[in-house]
Each structure stands twice: as C-alpha cells, then as structure tokens.
C-alpha cells in the first residue's frame, strides 16, 4: 500500500510503498477514505510534538473509512462498517490498523470527508468549552484564530451553547468565514487593537486560544473578572509566559487542554463529547468547513496549505 511517511526529521516526508498492516486481536483494519490534517502533523514532521512516534512513521492523526477486517476479540464492529478513528498517526495511507475502542460509527449520510474533518477540531472545542471551561448561556466567548481548523468549530459550538461569540481572525475573508459560522462580533487581528475592541464589547468571560503570542497577551488583558482562559495551542510559534500575580487581580483561571490526552486516562470524556457532537451533526446544527481537499499523492500541498495559513477550517486528504 502507499503511505506518506516521515523517515527523518530533517527532510520532507516521502510517499513509500509499505506492507499491508496486520490486524491484532483488539484492532480493526480500516480502508481509509479520508484523513484530516492538523497543526500537530506539522510539529510531528519536525519531531517537536509531544506524541511524535519514532521514525519512520506515517503522518495523519484522524481518519474515516470502511472496516476491512476485525481482530478476533473485537465486538461491536464488522467488515463493511463505516467509522471514524483518532489514531494519532498512520492516516495518510491506504489502510491502517487501530484499536477498536477508538472507532466511532458514523451517522447515516455523513461523508468520509466530513468525518475526517470532525473529530479533532470539534472534539477539542467541545471538551474545552463544555467540560473544561463550563461555558454558560449568555457569557461572552472570545475565539482567537477563529477561521482555523479548531477556531471555527469553537465559534459554532459557542453559539450552540448560547454564548455571545467574538471572533478574531486575520483579514476580511477569514472573518467572513467566522461570521458565516455564527460569530456575533468580528475583530481583525491585522488592523484592530484586540484588547480595546474586546473591552468595548464588555470583555470576555472565556478566551479560546489556539494562537498564543501577542494575541494571548492582549486577550488576557481583555478578560472580565473570573474569566477562564483556555490555551489550545501555539500556532504563532510563541508560547506566552503567564505572570501568576496577574491572575489574582481579576481572579482569572487558566485551563490547559490536551484533547488527545483523555484517551489514556479518562476516555469517557471524549466518548460522551463525540456522542453529543454527532447528535448535533445529525440534527443539522454542525457542518464541517473544509476549505481544501487533496488526493494522497498531493499530501505535501495539503500540509503546506496548513503551514502557510491559506486554509480556513480543515484541510482533508482523500485516499
């Protein structure tokens, strides 16, 4: 089978011919139809992500497709079932083997592209806003990087949860995407003073930040008393340092979130979240925004679209 692999951290990934993976007792083998790209894939290419596998490995964290074979101890799934899986890696290939307990059956009518764009982005935002920040109806949610893969889902979910959503993104085109997703107020990070603009709207109860850097600092200063700030990632490349005495002035809480980490110590958090998200999808309340799709032999172009921030929402590779 074909697989897009990282062989060394100082060279670009390459398309390789690999053996068809062998199914172990508790695994499913998936004929992969689509793979969603994530910022973490870029970090894995450099060996800087916290869960980077040893080289050589195949990129691609989240996939959707049709089960081809099941291990002898697998129950609840059979060949022919359509599922999505967060595997952590291995998705940019024609087949992959995954633990059966990570598979989620797709709702009727959900395409493989939608499913591959769904888990990480929507799962991250829902667990962050619901389980971690306890976002309440009527509160004000500030979303940084609001047209990106996770940011856009935070806008959608924040509106579904009854919040007033302030979307911050770069340029009119990206802000238009955030507005279409339900944002109530728009801030252009290229031209607007983020702190002043948010304070003029009354301040933020919850800040959702996948960007870091100067935007984090400005958003922090625009918080209301008892605000909750959720660092999701650091797409700017700048990990901000927080002065603990500043937290005291407004009784601000900073809440860490590593969505994938729950798989190892509290998987029911992700399972419960996915059940809610698929219900919203089936009801028509959520629609993944995919700005780019590429075939497997152009996976490098997909990763570059992500790196250069030319994409909005998700980039998906079709297999």
């Amino acid at each position: 089978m074909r697989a897009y692999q990282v062989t060394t951290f100082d060279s670009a990934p390459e398309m390789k011919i690999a053996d068809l993976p062998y199914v172990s007792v508790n695994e499913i083998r998936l004929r992969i139809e689509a793979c969603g790209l994530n910022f973490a894939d870029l970090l894995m290419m450099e060996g800087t992500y916290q869960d980077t596998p040893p080289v050589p490995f195949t990129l691609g964290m989240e996939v959707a497709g049709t089960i081809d074979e099941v291990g002898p101890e697998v129950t609840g799934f059979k060949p022919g079932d359509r599922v999505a899986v967060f595997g952590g890696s291995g998705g940019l290939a024609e087949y992959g083997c995954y633990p059966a307990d990570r598979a989620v059956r797709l709702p009727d009518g959900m395409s493989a592209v939608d499913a591959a764009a769904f888990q990480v982005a929507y799962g991250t935002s829902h667990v962050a806003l619901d389980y971690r920040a306890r976002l309440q109806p009527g509160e004000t949610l500030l979303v940084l990087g609001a047209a990106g893969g996770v940011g856009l889902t935070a806008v959608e979910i924040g509106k579904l949860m009854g919040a007033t959503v302030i979307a911050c993104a770069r340029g009119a085109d990206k802000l238009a995407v955030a507005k279409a997703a339900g944002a109530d107020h728009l801030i252009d990070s290229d031209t607007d003073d983020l702190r002043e603009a948010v304070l003029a709207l009354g301040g933020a109860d919850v800040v959702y930040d996948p960007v870091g850097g100067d935007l984090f600092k400005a958003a922090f200063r625009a918080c209301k008393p008892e605000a909750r700030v959720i660092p999701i990632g650091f797409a700017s490349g700048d990990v901000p340092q927080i002065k603990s005495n500043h937290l005291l002035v407004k009784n601000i809480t900073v809440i860490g979130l590593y969505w994938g980490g729950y798989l190892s110590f509290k998987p029911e958090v992700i399972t419960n979240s996915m059940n809610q998200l698929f219900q919203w999808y089936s009801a028509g309340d959520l629609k993944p925004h995919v700005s780019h799709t590429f075939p497997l032999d152009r996976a490098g172009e997909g990763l570059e679209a992500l790196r250069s921030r030319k994409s909005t929402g998700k980039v998906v590779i079709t297999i």
Side-chain angles (χ1 to χ4, degrees):
M1 68 172 188
R2 293 180 301 154
Y4 193 65
Q5 295 188 336
V6 174
T7 55
T8 66
F9 294 125
D10 56 2
S11 62
E14 299 176 299
M15 192 69 72
K16 297 289 188 178
I17 300 300
D19 292 336
L20 202 64
Y22 175 78
V23 184
S24 69
V25 292
N26 293 308
E27 286 187 332
I28 60 170
R29 187 170 68 192
L30 197 65
R31 179 169 53 80
I32 299 171
E33 297 168 19
C35 176
L37 298 185
N38 293 277
F39 188 76
D41 289 307
L42 301 178
L43 300 180
M44 280 192 191
M45 289 166 56
E46 300 167 353
T48 58
Y49 188 61
Q50 60 262 31
D51 282 338
T52 301
V55 292
F57 66 90
T58 300
L59 287 166
M61 302 179 73
E62 57 182 329
V63 297
T66 302
I67 293 176
D68 167 71
E69 187 177 339
V70 299
E73 295 184 10
V74 171
T75 60
F77 293 108
K78 64 184 186 304
D81 287 345
R82 299 179 65 248
V83 299
V85 183
F86 175 75
S89 62
L92 290 178
E94 293 175 313
Y95 289 85
C97 288
Y98 302 99
D101 59 6
R102 289 196 179 192
V104 181
R105 197 180 307 275
L106 300 188
D108 291 340
M110 189 179 209
S111 70
V113 169
D114 274 2
F118 198 86
Q119 291 182 97
V120 173
Y122 281 107
T124 296
S125 293
H126 184 246
V127 171
L129 297 178
D130 182 61
Y131 183 75
R132 295 292 281 152
R134 308 294 184 188
L135 178 68
Q136 299 299 307
E139 289 190 316
T140 297
L141 168 66
L142 170 61
V143 180
L144 306 182
V150 292
L152 198 60
T153 64
V155 172
E156 286 185 89
I157 290 171
K159 286 301 293 180
L160 280 173
M161 294 178 68
T164 297
V165 179
I166 305 172
C168 176
R170 178 180 292 175
D173 290 345
K174 291 190 174 182
L175 287 172
V177 173
K179 183 175 180 60
D184 299 287
H185 305 285
L186 306 175
I187 296 174
D188 190 330
S189 59
D190 275 343
T191 59
D192 296 330
D193 184 316
L194 175 63
R195 175 176 177 268
E196 293 302 322
V198 174
L199 288 175
L201 294 168
D205 294 295
V206 175
V207 176
Y208 180 99
D209 178 22
V211 180
D214 290 339
L215 288 180
F216 175 93
K217 298 171 188 175
F220 187 90
R221 297 174 65 205
C223 285
K224 294 181 183 180
E226 294 192 327
R228 291 88 75 201
V229 181
I230 320 168
I232 300 298
F234 311 102
S236 67
D238 180 357
V239 179
Q241 303 303 300
I242 303 166
K243 294 184 178 180
S244 57
N245 60 316
H246 291 183
L247 300 175
L248 308 184
V249 178
K250 293 183 180 178
N251 295 291
I252 292 173
T253 302
V254 178
I255 304 171
L257 175 73
Y258 170 38
W259 178 79
Y262 280 106
L263 288 168
S264 62
F265 71 91
K266 208 171 186 180
E268 65 272 17
V269 170
I270 290 182
T271 302
N272 294 338
S273 173
M274 279 296 142
N275 287 334
Q276 175 63 74
L277 289 166
F278 279 139
Q279 287 177 30
W280 279 337
Y281 179 90
S282 297
D285 294 326
L286 297 178
K287 174 61 179 173
H289 178 86
V290 178
S291 66
H292 294 75
T293 59
F294 296 92
L296 181 58
D297 58 6
R298 295 173 59 194
E301 294 177 54
L303 289 162
E304 182 54 35
L306 196 63
R307 184 193 302 278
S308 64
R309 303 187 188 183
K310 293 179 180 177
S311 60
T312 55
K314 292 286 285 188
V315 178
V316 174
I317 306 300
T318 56
I319 313 299

